[in-house]
Amino acid sequence: MRFFVVCPGGLEAPLAQELAEIAQRPDSKALGAWVIDPIPTSPTGGIGLAAPISAAMALNLHSRIASRVLLQMAQAPYRQEEDLYKLASGLAWEDWFTSKQTLRVDVTAHRSPLKSLNFATLKIKDAIVDRLRDVTGDRPSIDTAFPDVRVQAHLTATQITIYLDTSGEALFKRGWRDEKGDAPLKENLAAGILSITGWKPGQSLFDPMCGSGTFLIEAAQITLSIPPGAIRAGIYGDDAKPSRLAYRSLVSSAEGFGFQRLKPFNEAAEQKRWGTLKEAVLTQMLEKRKQYPNADSLKISGGDINEKLVSMYKGNWQRAQLPDQPLVRQVDALASKPPVNSKDGVMLLNPPYGERLAIKGGRGGVAQDHDSRGEGNTEYDVEPENRFEMNLETGRQSAKRSSRESLKKLQAQDEQDPKFVEFLRQFGQHLKDAFGGWNVFVLTADMALPGQLRIKESKRTPLFNGPLECRLFKFEMHAKRSSSSEG
């Protein structure tokens, strides 16, 4: 079978590396042979591979960087909308789901000659519905919010590819985040950035502006071999309970993954393979918990000036099934210190764009205002309709113009805020004074950040945080000279 694994733009190389690691797991090898496509030379928004159908289960369970795992159903040339109908109506949808299940169809395009994507979507939806009605005598209902089955199609200038979505809810929804935080960073983007930094389990990791803890929770789960799909797979038994701050229901084992609602995966042989995959995970998790028995042993810590964000982080940590309480302090980034007995660590942060939480204060009500930390809550919730995330061909084309316009506005705001500019200057000096020997990575939409910190970056990696074009800057902080040589 052919799969296309979708990821945020700019993370194709880390995703390819992760897929290779998943394919080498003994339980994955037992499913059959995997052939992963070469890393693309330009952004594609994902990686293709050929693997047994059972690989969908392993990919959804283990991939931290993937947004969705799409199973290719057909690919053919087209010229008009009627060609889409003919291709879709010729597929044996009745072998995959029933007319009693609800359906959603999404179409993305890159340089398609068709005038209306909405009409193209309607033709494909009609083809699937008509096929099931002709075969079963009944037609499925459409549900765009919480469908049982998701079908996706992508149009290039000459070809259409039709996919079944084996993920269901987007994979960045791990099942542990339920707070109404300000503009959360998506978990799969955080995982991809961790891969780019070169951080390894057991190495000190520190985030002085940790917010609700996305970077640190992802790192902790990696250290403890907790797969990103653990909660949705029901590995823990009882699902995490939402907090009083919940603004949407948690993704749980009840919803699970999309493949669990497809006929082939409910056959006895596939159910047995799914059980084997989960047993292997549980065994590995128990072994790692012995190696890292408490939060101190993880060497993962953070801080944030905002009291409510610190509280949210603690709740997320517990729902992510991590040990004890996280190592976190409510403190301004300018007063942050390296963890005790740590050196040559990794600092990773995603500072708020445009305004600094320190300027607004930690305890006052104004600290609840939006700080534009990455993408907004709206983007987080409506991800299935996000054309940037869903563009299978480029992973970024529909976002370029808007992201650049937003970037100019944000930079203009920063230039008008002398307090923020002064904060960045002070923070850059603080990094030099207190974090010698560390590698510092900053995800930001402000391309001028190195100059504002007054530190020369050693590397910059283009990434997309939702529709916002960003850079991951790397700063190598040289160890300070001894006091005798400083004079």
Side-chain angles (χ1 to χ4, degrees), residues 414-426 452:
D414 287 349
E415 290 170 359
Q416 295 168 3
D417 189 347
K419 291 182 180 180
F420 184 65
V421 173
E422 176 60 18
F423 166 79
L424 290 176
R425 186 196 66 78
Q426 292 182 24
Q452 293 170 333

Side-chain angles (χ1 to χ4, degrees), residues 64-65 174 186-195 218 222:
R64 307 200 81 89
I65 302 174
R174 314 290 204 215
K186 286 184 180 177
E187 290 80 348
N188 61 331
L189 176 59
I193 290 172
L194 278 166
S195 176
E218 286 296 309
I222 291 170

Side-chain angles (χ1 to χ4, degrees), residues 344-359:
D344 303 329
V346 171
M347 178 190 290
L348 175 58
L349 62 147
N350 172 35
Y353 306 148
E355 279 189 336
R356 175 69 186 110
L357 281 175
I359 296 172

Side-chain angles (χ1 to χ4, degrees), residues 241-362:
K241 300 298 188 291
S243 71
R244 291 180 299 172
L245 298 171
Y247 66 96
R248 60 174 172 79
S249 59
L250 288 168
V251 177
S252 69
S253 59
E255 293 84 15
F257 301 101
F259 68 79
Q260 293 174 289
R261 293 180 287 279
L262 299 176
K263 286 183 178 181
F265 294 96
N266 285 291
E267 295 178 359
E270 294 301 327
Q271 287 290 301
K272 184 177 180 180
R273 293 186 183 102
W274 179 228
T276 301
L277 288 173
K278 293 195 289 184
E279 289 173 5
V281 161
L282 189 56
T283 298
Q284 192 173 15
M285 286 167 53
L286 292 173
E287 291 175 355
K288 287 294 183 180
R289 186 56 67 95
K290 294 177 183 177
Q291 185 179 351
Y292 300 96
N294 51 48
D296 286 335
S297 64
L298 297 174
K299 297 184 179 180
I300 293 170
S301 58
D304 201 286
I305 195 171
N306 190 300
E307 181 181 23
K308 290 187 177 180
L309 287 178
V310 170
S311 177
M312 290 174 184
Y313 172 31
K314 291 178 179 178
N316 287 337
W317 179 276
Q318 292 179 331
R319 283 186 293 273
Q321 305 294 320
L322 298 171
D324 308 329
Q325 288 283 342
L327 303 181
V328 62
R329 295 174 60 212
Q330 182 190 347
V331 63
D332 191 293
L334 295 178
S336 60
K337 298 179 181 179
V340 178
N341 298 325
S342 66
K343 61 179 181 178
D344 303 329
V346 171
M347 178 190 290
L348 175 58
L349 62 147
N350 172 35
Y353 306 148
E355 279 189 336
R356 175 69 186 110
L357 281 175
I359 296 172
K360 293 189 280 187

